[in-house]
Amino acid sequence: MKFIPFSEIKHLLPNNCWYKQDIPELPVLYCEGHQYWDAPLDLDEVVNEEHPSEIIPFILVNGNLTVPQIYNEHVDGSTGLVVLGNLKTNNIVVGGQEIYVKGDLDVAEVFWGEHDHGNLVVEGTIRSRLFINTDYGVDDYRFSMRENIEVDFVLNHDLERDVADPTVLFHLIKPEYLYTREDLDDTIYSWQDWLKTTDILRALAQNQSILLDTPNPAYADEAYPYAFPNKDITLDNVMKLAGGTIFNQNHIPDKEEINIEYTEGPMYKRISFFNGDPYSTTVYFQYEDLYAMLVTIEKKKSILPFSKDYTVQTFYKYPSEQGSTWQPMVNTSIAESLTIEWQKLLREYSDMIGIYNKKQKIVTAINFNEIMKRPIVQRLGKRYYESEDSTVFYCGQQWQFRLEDKAAGHAPRITIHNYLGKGADGENQYEYFHYELEQDSDPKSKPYVQIYYQREKGPEADVYLLEVCTRRNMLKAINYFIYLQKYIERVWIKEEVILTEEEIKLREAIDKGNNYLRGILGQR
């Protein structure tokens, strides 16, 4: 470990590292080979004896670095850290520099990047129990797409909207490091407002944990009940996949084929059945192009023509092999894979039921109409097709509203544009959630809200019915709808405050009073 001139190590820096473009006059702290440090690293206290009052540009570790804690207080400018291998630590609480990791970043507890004078670049995988970003520079799009992200909880100021809801913080962090709602005023701008920064930094300096040993169950995520009596591949369990209404069966004609497709990592899954006929259910799994598995229901051979005795059959094949056909499942590694994937599917389906029930309670026709009848929505809804003039910009999201137009065939609609980050081309990326009030052809049927999903921008983009099997996207749709309900009155269009109906009446009364006074004064 030694201080050396920047010019001697510049060639080691990756091209996408901040410091590659700099020509600092001060020396850099250089560490050759793998490093294992016992003491916490305070990036504000990296001092060179020849320049005791200057901020050293950065530390360069030409290898892996393991250190118990990394932190700093002065977020307007502090020493950076470049690791050309893997970085492993318990906590990182930083601001005012770049943290660059050529390999993987493993944070056992919390990563918190604060202030916009900082940047995080990790070429490998990011792992952390809790990742908090309050205006630090991170690849938002990467987090949105979950590309090499293995983080249990993410609170990203640019992506997660409701900073007034501290549920995750109180679920994980020790209460002595958090402010309560009673400690704060009504205006909460950031996750940072909840965090006792000074106390957290003091804990890291003393190499102490800031997370609870056991998460607080009072703030835990909702746990959805398991929907099956067991985890086996049984006739009842297979048939149950086609029951209920979570796949919109109540809005689809009987005997129409329903295919529910989704992926979990490299495993593709498809549940197929004819509506109203659970005996037609089949479940298909495919692991990349290596192998496929099939679970299906077949009628047992019987001399009785009207026998309804059925059994479950399982098969496998190799899709990449030309002419490959389904073979009965035998006791192989593929059979073991089927057992694992089947149990995952039952858990996923149970979650789908829970998410569907949540949607049915929240995204209702009543709640939809409550939003649509608000004066600001009525004003904006008349300009739905007029681009920005009809758009509400609020905390990184955009909201649009379309009023019903039966002549044009337009159902009432709420559209939420959700920011995902910048793509590889540097352009802002969005996803779109469309909430439409629909009604089946039966005049006795009740209106309901259908949600559609759009990934690309423009009128020619594909729009898909948002299925509950997407779980994460459906939860986002539900949570964004809740967020819209809570904050529709606190909105800005082109930096002009849109007033509530009560505020409009009050302003009109004030203006009327002022005009009356001006009239009296003018007469005098």
Side-chain angles (χ1 to χ4, degrees):
M1 182 184 299
K2 59 183 178 180
F3 286 97
I4 61 176
F6 172 77
S7 59
E8 295 184 18
I9 56 86
K10 182 177 181 180
H11 66 284
L12 297 175
L13 297 176
N15 290 330
N16 61 336
C17 177
W18 260 9
Y19 303 111
K20 181 80 168 184
Q21 319 305 324
D22 290 347
I23 308 178
E25 299 178 358
L26 296 173
V28 172
L29 182 58
Y30 178 71
C31 307
E32 177 63 36
H34 301 325
Q35 303 292 312
Y36 301 90
W37 299 345
D38 295 328
L41 173 59
D42 183 350
L43 293 174
D44 287 340
E45 298 297 329
V46 183
V47 179
N48 178 262
E49 292 181 356
E50 297 181 6
H51 308 277
S53 61
E54 300 289 342
I55 298 175
I56 297 303
F58 61 93
I59 301 169
L60 175 61
V61 177
N62 194 6
N64 299 332
L65 172 61
T66 300
V67 59
Q69 316 285 351
I70 302 172
Y71 65 97
N72 72 279
E73 179 181 2
H74 303 298
V75 296
D76 284 327
S78 187
T79 297
L81 177 62
V82 179
V83 179
L84 299 182
N86 301 321
L87 173 56
K88 187 174 183 179
T89 185
N90 292 321
N91 292 283
I92 298 179
V93 177
V94 292
Q97 72 288 93
E98 178 168 85
I99 305 293
Y100 186 102
V101 183
K102 185 68 174 175
D104 295 341
L105 172 63
D106 284 285
V107 183
E109 293 192 356
V110 179
F111 177 95
W112 176 18
E114 161 61 9
H115 203 44
D116 58 1
H117 292 177
N119 193 48
L120 173 69
V121 177
V122 179
E123 297 294 341
T125 299
I126 298 175
R127 301 183 183 91
S128 180
R129 177 71 168 141
L130 172 60
F131 189 98
I132 306 173
N133 172 33
T134 52
D135 230 11
Y136 205 68
V138 302
D139 186 345
D140 294 327
Y141 188 69
R142 175 181 179 179
F143 273 85
S144 294
M145 298 294 104
R146 308 295 288 183
E147 295 174 354
N148 292 326
I149 301 294
E150 298 178 12
V151 177
D152 294 333
F153 297 89
V154 177
L155 299 179
N156 188 337
H157 184 74
D158 293 327
L159 300 178
E160 304 298 325
R161 308 300 165 202
D162 200 352
V163 296
D165 181 3
T167 300
V168 171
L169 297 176
F170 281 90
H171 177 57
L172 298 175
I173 296 178
K174 294 178 179 178
E176 57 263 37
Y177 302 120
L178 296 170
Y179 292 107
T180 65
R181 193 173 297 276
E182 290 71 25
D183 296 326
L184 304 172
D185 59 25
D186 292 337
T187 305
I188 300 170
Y189 295 102
S190 168
W191 304 112
Q192 180 197 14
D193 295 332
W194 296 99
L195 298 164
K196 294 183 178 180
T197 307
T198 302
D199 293 339
I200 290 173
L201 294 177
R202 185 183 301 114
L204 301 192
Q206 297 172 1
N207 201 12
Q208 295 176 352
S209 171
I210 62 174
L211 290 189
L212 293 162
D213 294 334
T214 303
N216 187 340
Y219 296 94
D221 283 343
E222 185 176 359
Y224 303 114
Y226 195 69
F228 299 87
N230 54 58
K231 299 179 180 179
D232 301 330
I233 304 176
T234 66
L235 179 63
D236 287 343
N237 286 348
V238 175
M239 293 174 61
K240 188 177 180 66
L241 296 174
T245 59
I246 71 169
F247 300 135
N248 288 294
Q249 291 100 313
N250 53 331
H251 302 301
I252 296 174
D254 284 348
K255 304 304 180 182
E256 184 171 318
E257 186 175 14
I258 297 176
N259 291 291
I260 305 302
E261 304 170 282
Y262 66 102
T263 58
E264 290 289 328
M267 186 65 72
Y268 165 83
K269 307 179 185 185
R270 182 176 68 234
I271 303 170
S272 302
F273 57 91
F274 291 96
N275 196 22
D277 181 10
Y279 290 101
S280 66
T281 307
T282 62
V283 183
Y284 177 87
F285 301 89
Q286 182 171 325
Y287 185 85
E288 297 180 336
D289 290 329
L290 299 180
Y291 62 89
M293 304 175 291
L294 183 69
V295 178
T296 186
I297 299 174
E298 294 186 358
K299 191 174 182 179
K300 287 184 178 180
K301 294 181 179 179
S302 174
I303 60 173
L304 300 176
F306 302 107
S307 172
K308 292 188 177 181
D309 199 4
Y310 293 86
T311 185
V312 175
Q313 300 289 337
T314 58
F315 303 90
Y316 75 97
K317 71 175 180 178
Y318 302 104
S320 59
E321 294 184 4
Q322 188 173 5
S324 176
T325 59
W326 289 110
Q327 301 296 322
M329 187 69 70
V330 292
N331 190 19
T332 65
S333 59
I334 296 181
E336 294 175 5
S337 176
L338 177 60
T339 298
I340 293 171
E341 293 304 325
W342 178 259
Q343 293 179 3
K344 288 181 180 177
L345 178 77
L346 297 191
R347 178 67 264 176
E348 291 157 4
Y349 186 87
S350 298
D351 290 345
M352 293 178 202
I353 293 176
I355 294 169
Y356 173 82
N357 290 335
K358 184 175 183 178
K359 171 184 174 287
Q360 294 300 98
K361 291 179 182 177
I362 294 171
V363 188
T364 65
I366 291 175
N367 290 339
F368 181 94
N369 288 326
E370 281 295 316
I371 294 172
M372 293 299 293
K373 74 181 184 181
R374 293 173 182 265
I376 57 173
V377 172
Q378 289 291 309
R379 294 200 300 276
L380 296 175
K382 298 174 182 177
R383 305 198 298 266
Y384 182 80
Y385 293 102
E386 298 176 16
S387 189
E388 294 184 359
D389 287 340
S390 66
T391 304
V392 174
F393 298 86
Y394 190 74
C395 292
Q397 282 194 336
Q398 299 176 33
W399 302 331
Q400 288 183 301
F401 309 93
R402 183 179 73 185
L403 301 184
E404 183 177 27
D405 186 345
K406 292 183 179 180
H410 294 159
R413 174 191 286 178
I414 296 171
T415 297
I416 296 179
H417 307 219
N418 182 53
Y419 175 68
L420 296 173
K422 292 186 180 296
D425 57 1
E427 294 292 325
N428 288 342
Q429 299 294 311
Y430 293 89
E431 60 185 348
Y432 307 85
F433 296 89
H434 304 286
Y435 308 75
E436 291 199 6
L437 191 65
E438 299 183 357
Q439 187 169 359
D440 294 335
S441 57
D442 183 354
K444 296 181 180 179
S445 65
K446 294 182 180 180
Y448 60 94
V449 179
Q450 197 70 279
I451 306 176
Y452 297 89
Y453 182 80
Q454 175 183 338
R455 181 60 186 83
E456 302 298 329
K457 186 178 181 180
E460 303 301 321
D462 292 327
V463 179
Y464 305 95
L465 176 68
L466 186 62
E467 300 280 5
V468 73
C469 64
T470 64
R471 289 173 300 156
R472 182 166 175 259
N473 277 345
M474 182 60 82
L475 279 173
K476 288 167 73 172
I478 296 168
N479 291 333
Y480 295 159
F481 189 84
I482 295 172
Y483 187 70
L484 172 62
Q485 282 184 292
K486 288 174 64 175
Y487 297 111
I488 182 59
E489 298 296 357
R490 301 183 185 180
V491 294
W492 284 260
I493 293 183
K494 295 182 178 180
E495 301 180 353
E496 294 181 7
V497 178
I498 298 181
L499 303 176
T500 66
E501 186 174 15
E502 292 74 20
E503 290 170 331
I504 292 172
K505 291 179 179 178
L506 178 60
R507 176 162 292 189
E508 289 175 349
I510 293 172
D511 290 342
K512 185 176 181 179
N514 288 339
N515 290 334
Y516 176 75
L517 289 174
R518 279 194 293 269
I520 295 176
L521 293 174
Q523 291 176 359
R524 292 183 179 179

